[in-house]
Amino acid sequence: MMMFRSTLQAACVSMALSALGSASTAMAGEMPRAAANAFYEVPLRCPSAPQIACGGKVKPVLRALENQPSVAEAWVDRTGTIVAAVWKSGSDSVQRDAAVEEVASIHDLRFRRLGGSRARALQESFQTRDGWYNKMTADELSNDEARFIAQRLTRRLVAHAPSAASKAATVVDAIEPQLRQDLVGQSVGTRSERLIGAVSPLLDENELRAFADALKLGTRPLKGEE
């Protein structure tokens, strides 16, 4: 009887703790994210990967915004065309406008505030934060940029040295980390030297010359390139 009672008590305690944990999880899951108080059109596209925001440009801008006393959160969308601001409680419109103006001046940018149906549509997207980046996740954009550049350089290589087509995926994987280091400020030595060094074991003499020629064209897309 005593054993049965102890087992029953243990089961009840376990159920109670489980219910409490589930309730806490549910409450945490229902915690709404802060809505953006303002959206601004800002030119932060990446010259070398125009389809996305430039992580190297985005990070200091977002950091500068969040260093302002009136800004709680600052985010950029994946295209690098929209910045969202979440204001701190107690800040007023004068402080907020001054914060945006100061950051725009420091980084030589123009912030154009959006409203109406455009802002409402952006708010729906922003609530999930899907496709939005803050100062902590901006390096993800740099990773994507490195991949786009690596693929572009490899397409140029193959166009001038078709024999390298079978090695294309390996070449991309070899040069992407080197490009990423450049974009996040962790590189050592010149870009050309490091990229050529990365592909030298993979390419024959003719292919290596073609790759060097591809590098001379720069990392930005030329007319007709992606």
Side-chain angles (χ1 to χ4, degrees), residues 74-217:
W75 299 73
V76 68
D77 75 334
R78 182 167 175 79
T79 67
T81 59
I82 306 294
V83 164
V86 178
W87 306 129
K88 284 184 179 177
S89 177
S91 61
D92 58 36
S93 60
V94 174
Q95 294 170 319
R96 297 163 183 172
D97 290 345
V100 173
E101 289 172 9
E102 181 176 339
V103 173
S105 176
I106 291 171
H107 293 278
D108 194 22
L109 293 171
R110 180 174 179 267
F111 283 70
R112 187 173 73 86
R113 186 159 182 170
L114 302 173
S117 59
R118 182 83 185 279
R120 288 192 293 273
L122 288 167
Q123 190 69 259
E124 292 182 13
S125 162
F126 184 74
Q127 282 302 108
T128 65
R129 302 299 197 271
D130 185 24
W132 291 85
Y133 301 80
N134 61 15
K135 65 184 181 183
M136 303 299 293
T137 57
D139 282 348
E140 294 176 18
L141 292 164
S142 296
N143 294 342
D144 292 341
E145 182 183 353
R147 190 74 177 176
F148 288 135
I149 296 172
Q151 291 170 340
R152 182 179 303 123
L153 292 174
T154 303
R155 284 193 294 269
R156 291 176 185 171
L157 160 65
V158 173
H160 290 89
S163 61
S166 61
K167 309 170 186 176
T170 307
V171 170
V172 170
D173 289 342
I175 63 178
E176 182 182 348
Q178 301 296 330
L179 291 164
R180 187 184 303 120
Q181 288 176 20
D182 276 343
L183 298 172
V184 299
Q186 297 178 346
S187 60
V188 177
T190 68
R191 174 185 289 175
S192 294
E193 289 175 346
R194 288 184 294 102
L195 293 180
I196 290 174
V199 299
S200 291
L202 308 173
L203 305 177
D204 63 28
E205 187 175 341
N206 180 59
E207 294 164 349
L208 197 56
R209 278 197 300 268
F211 183 76
D213 289 341
L215 281 179
K216 291 175 183 177
L217 298 175

Side-chain angles (χ1 to χ4, degrees), residues 39-71:
F39 293 99
Y40 298 89
E41 197 170 70
V42 184
L44 289 170
R45 284 186 183 276
C46 180
S48 295
Q51 59 270 65
I52 62 172
C54 184
K57 289 183 178 180
V58 161
K59 186 185 286 189
V61 171
L62 299 182
R63 185 182 292 119
L65 280 167
E66 291 194 0
N67 284 341
Q68 295 293 320
S70 58
V71 182

Side-chain angles (χ1 to χ4, degrees), residues 21-44:
S22 299
S24 299
T25 302
M27 289 175 66
E30 292 168 3
M31 186 83 64
R33 291 177 181 266
N37 301 112
F39 293 99
Y40 298 89
E41 197 170 70
V42 184
L44 289 170

